[in-house]
Amino acid sequence: MQWTLDQLRQFVAAAEAGSFSAAGRRIGRAQSAVSTAVGLLEADLGVELFDRSRRNAVLTPAGEVMLLEAKELLRQAGGLSQRALAFAGGQEARLSIALDEALPYLVLGALVVELAERFPALELTQLNGTATEVADYVRQGRASIAFHFDRGDPGSDFAHQSLGNVAQGIFVASGHPLAGLPQVSREDLARHRQLVMQMEGVEDMVLSPTVWRTDSFYSIAGMVADGLGFAILPLNIAEYESFRTTLRPLPCAELALPMLAVRTLWMQGAVLNETERWLQQRMEQLLRAG
């Protein structure tokens, strides 16, 4: 078969315009040129696409099916051209990023949507995990860059840059004994089990002699929701749909909780490409706006 994309375009134009003359006006071709192109396409395919016994261009049943195929081929061809232009302009073909599962969902959602709009030809791999896991993804070469909560010195293997902060608070389940108090003290908190975030020897502020530890904010939030104790959580975790109605913030005037720092992480000596630099800058902007 020797049919061409140009013949497919003229076939689609004739089908959508309702006649060869109208199609010619739409695409800037003579009626005879459109008619000839469609005729050659029919001969090459061995399929009659239009019923020529009528005044206007009416698709045959086979023509209706082939119209769908033609549109899909043209869509794919357009995508191929756009990708080629993007790569010719220096855009990276693939990118793998690692994201801390506890980062604000709205920020990450906006970041990925804008990434798709700005770099439409990009093939993206997104890996999610705890702050430690996403660093490991970069160390293992599975991701070239990570965004996570700062859990202390990442070590000499990594280069890193601070991007912004996320507020945190103290939370309990709605049925917890502390939930009904208008104000709690450190002494009040010390009477109850605390669920603490801990990774590689770095842990959050400990306020109770009774402590359970884990490396996932979502795991902690789930245990808090089950009434197992109180915890210091990023506000975005507590406001997540699954926990919004089950967790209650605890006001504690004695405690001034620090903000949680968010940073980007990549291997020492690596040079960030255009897409990675844009991700870094845009994440910083979105965190500030949020």
Side-chain angles (χ1 to χ4, degrees), residues 13-27:
E16 292 179 341
S19 71
F20 296 136
S21 57
R25 290 192 296 271
R26 175 183 293 185
I27 63 177

Side-chain angles (χ1 to χ4, degrees), residues 39-82:
L40 290 172
L41 178 62
E42 290 176 315
D44 196 44
L45 294 175
V47 175
E48 186 177 5
L49 301 174
F50 289 100
D51 181 355
R52 289 173 172 74
S53 67
R54 305 184 186 187
R55 179 176 180 180
N56 292 326
V58 178
L59 288 169
T60 62
E64 293 176 355
V65 174
M66 295 303 295
L67 177 62
L68 299 177
E69 295 283 358
K71 287 182 175 180
E72 176 59 20
L73 281 172
L74 292 174
R75 184 196 66 78
Q76 292 180 18
L80 176 67
S81 296
Q82 289 300 316

Side-chain angles (χ1 to χ4, degrees), residues 76-93 120-122:
Q76 292 180 18
L80 176 67
S81 296
Q82 289 300 316
R83 275 199 162 190
L85 287 172
F87 297 150
Q91 181 179 314
E92 290 72 31
L122 182 70

Side-chain angles (χ1 to χ4, degrees), residues 22 134 162 180 187 214 243 249 283:
V134 298
S162 178
E187 185 177 351
T214 183
F243 306 119
M283 173 70 92

Side-chain angles (χ1 to χ4, degrees), residues 198-203:
Q198 183 182 45
M199 293 184 182
E200 296 182 350
V202 178
E203 67 179 14

Side-chain angles (χ1 to χ4, degrees), residues 98-102 127-140 142 146-154 158 197-203 214-217 263 265:
L99 301 175
D100 190 328
E101 63 183 7
L127 303 174
N128 300 283
T130 64
T132 298
E133 287 172 340
V134 298
D136 287 341
Y137 292 150
V138 174
R139 183 183 287 109
Q140 296 161 6
R142 297 179 60 190
F147 298 88
H148 70 169
F149 280 120
D150 186 338
R151 305 304 298 175
D153 184 3
F158 296 104
M197 181 71 163
Q198 183 182 45
M199 293 184 182
E200 296 182 350
V202 178
E203 67 179 14
T214 183
D215 65 352
S216 168
F217 276 124
R263 69 184 174 195
L265 197 72

Side-chain angles (χ1 to χ4, degrees), residues 210-281:
T210 306
V211 176
W212 284 8
R213 296 176 174 86
T214 183
D215 65 352
S216 168
F217 276 124
Y218 280 102
S219 177
I220 290 175
M223 288 190 285
V224 172
D226 289 335
L228 297 176
F230 73 90
I232 299 172
L233 293 169
L235 296 189
N236 62 283
I237 298 292
E239 294 167 358
Y240 191 67
E241 184 177 358
S242 300
F243 306 119
R244 192 178 302 153
T245 60
T246 56
L247 300 186
R248 294 289 182 271
L250 290 181
C252 183
E254 295 179 15
L255 288 178
L257 295 176
M259 300 282 279
L260 283 173
V262 178
R263 69 184 174 195
T264 182
L265 197 72
W266 65 99
M267 292 304 294
Q268 190 69 253
V271 178
L272 298 182
N273 60 41
E274 177 191 356
T275 310
E276 293 163 341
R277 290 195 302 272
W278 178 85
L279 279 170
Q280 191 177 68
Q281 294 166 2

